[in-house]
């Protein structure tokens, strides 16, 4: 009988898993979502390790790795088929697009809700999120697209600008206009223009 009357304690959501309608009911929820984007960017799979002082530095030959048992040995000899290297690039790809999806989710939930924000916070949060989304796409181009000089028309990366389960077509290196348009978006009401 005790369990029948006290089962609601099982329905507590972890703080990191908040439903959209609850998270985006006020300005602080949008700030929390933006903080979550930065937190994901700071994980070891991205700028907390691999993209700042590990994998990309090894590929740039900033370190000399002679020990073939070293975790980064295969990366240092550009053996992209090795499981250790593949798993790092898979984690980068997945985490980058997860972060882009979180940017898109925040942006979609902001549409038409300016009344929830004080001062210029709507424009600030929206602009910062658009900038992060563009930055992440440009960094994906840098890492996963062929060099522009030899592969300007080669398939590069998908440009993802909304939350959907439908796959996005891959952009070519020369077709960066959606990313540039994203960066140059004019934020109405701020008086600022590019």
């Amino acid at each position: 009988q005790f369990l029948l009357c006290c089962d609601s304690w099982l329905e507590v959501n972890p703080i990191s898993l908040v439903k959209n309608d609850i998270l985006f009911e006020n300005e602080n929820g949008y700030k929390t979502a933006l903080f979550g984007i930065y937190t994901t960017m700071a994980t070891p799979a991205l700028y907390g390790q691999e993209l700042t002082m590990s994998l990309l530095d090894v590929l740039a030959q900033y370190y000399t790795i002679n020990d073939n048992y070293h975790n980064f040995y295969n990366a240092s000899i550009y053996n992209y088929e090795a499981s250790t290297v593949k798993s790092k690039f898979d984690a980068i790809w997945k985490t980058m697009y997860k972060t882009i999806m979180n940017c898109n989710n925040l942006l979609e939930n902001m549409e038409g809700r300016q009344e929830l924000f004080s001062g210029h916070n709507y424009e600030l949060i929206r602009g910062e999120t658009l900038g992060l989304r563009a930055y992440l796409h440009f960094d994906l181009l840098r890492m996963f697209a062929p060099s522009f000089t030899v592969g300007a028309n080669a398939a590069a990366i998908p440009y993802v600008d909304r939350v959907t389960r439908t796959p996005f077509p891959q952009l070519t290196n020369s077709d960066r206009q959606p990313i540039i348009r994203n960066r140059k978006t004019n934020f109405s009401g701020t008086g600022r223009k590019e």
Side-chain angles (χ1 to χ4, degrees):
Q1 182 164 342
F2 175 73
L3 290 175
L4 293 174
C5 66
C6 297
D7 64 343
S8 63
W9 66 274
L10 295 173
E11 297 172 12
V12 175
N13 289 324
I15 194 157
S16 63
L17 299 174
V18 180
K19 293 180 180 178
N20 273 355
D21 56 342
I22 296 170
L23 179 64
F24 296 124
E25 66 186 6
N26 59 45
E27 182 177 320
N28 283 334
Y30 290 91
K31 290 177 181 178
T32 299
L34 184 58
F35 179 74
I37 291 166
Y38 280 111
T39 301
T40 303
M41 291 174 68
T43 60
L46 298 183
Y47 303 98
Q49 182 176 323
E50 299 300 350
L51 303 183
T52 54
M53 57 190 161
S54 288
L55 181 62
L56 292 189
D57 282 359
V58 169
L59 294 174
Q61 299 292 308
Y62 290 154
Y63 308 116
T64 302
I65 299 173
N66 296 322
D67 180 1
N68 61 354
Y69 294 105
H70 192 281
N71 190 32
F72 287 102
Y73 177 75
N74 282 307
S76 75
I77 61 170
Y78 306 112
N79 181 3
Y80 298 118
E81 297 303 315
S83 63
T84 54
V85 179
K86 273 185 170 182
S87 66
K88 289 181 185 298
F89 278 116
D90 285 347
I92 290 168
W93 181 270
K94 289 175 185 173
T95 310
M96 291 284 265
Y97 276 106
K98 172 186 169 186
T99 309
I100 289 169
M101 188 277 305
N102 285 330
C103 289
N104 290 334
N105 187 45
L106 193 157
L107 291 166
E108 287 179 14
N109 279 283
M110 288 184 84
E111 289 180 22
R113 304 193 75 196
Q114 290 91 331
E115 74 281 354
L116 295 178
F117 298 86
S118 59
H120 289 289
N121 285 343
Y122 176 86
E123 291 86 3
L124 290 171
I125 293 170
R126 184 172 183 273
E128 195 166 338
T129 307
L130 285 167
L132 288 172
R133 183 174 72 184
Y135 174 80
L136 293 165
H137 279 103
F138 275 124
D139 223 14
L140 284 163
L141 271 174
R142 174 179 71 104
M143 289 181 284
F144 292 101
S147 168
F148 186 81
T149 56
V150 296
N153 294 318
I157 63 160
Y159 175 70
V160 180
D161 63 350
R162 62 191 174 281
V163 177
T164 181
R165 293 187 184 276
T166 306
F168 285 78
Q170 286 186 304
L171 293 178
T172 63
N173 241 337
S174 59
D175 186 22
R176 294 178 267 185
Q177 289 308 310
I179 302 172
I180 293 167
R181 260 192 316 276
N182 172 82
R183 185 185 63 79
K184 288 186 172 182
T185 299
N186 179 23
F187 307 109
S188 61
T190 64
R192 292 177 282 161
K193 295 184 186 216
E194 289 277 324

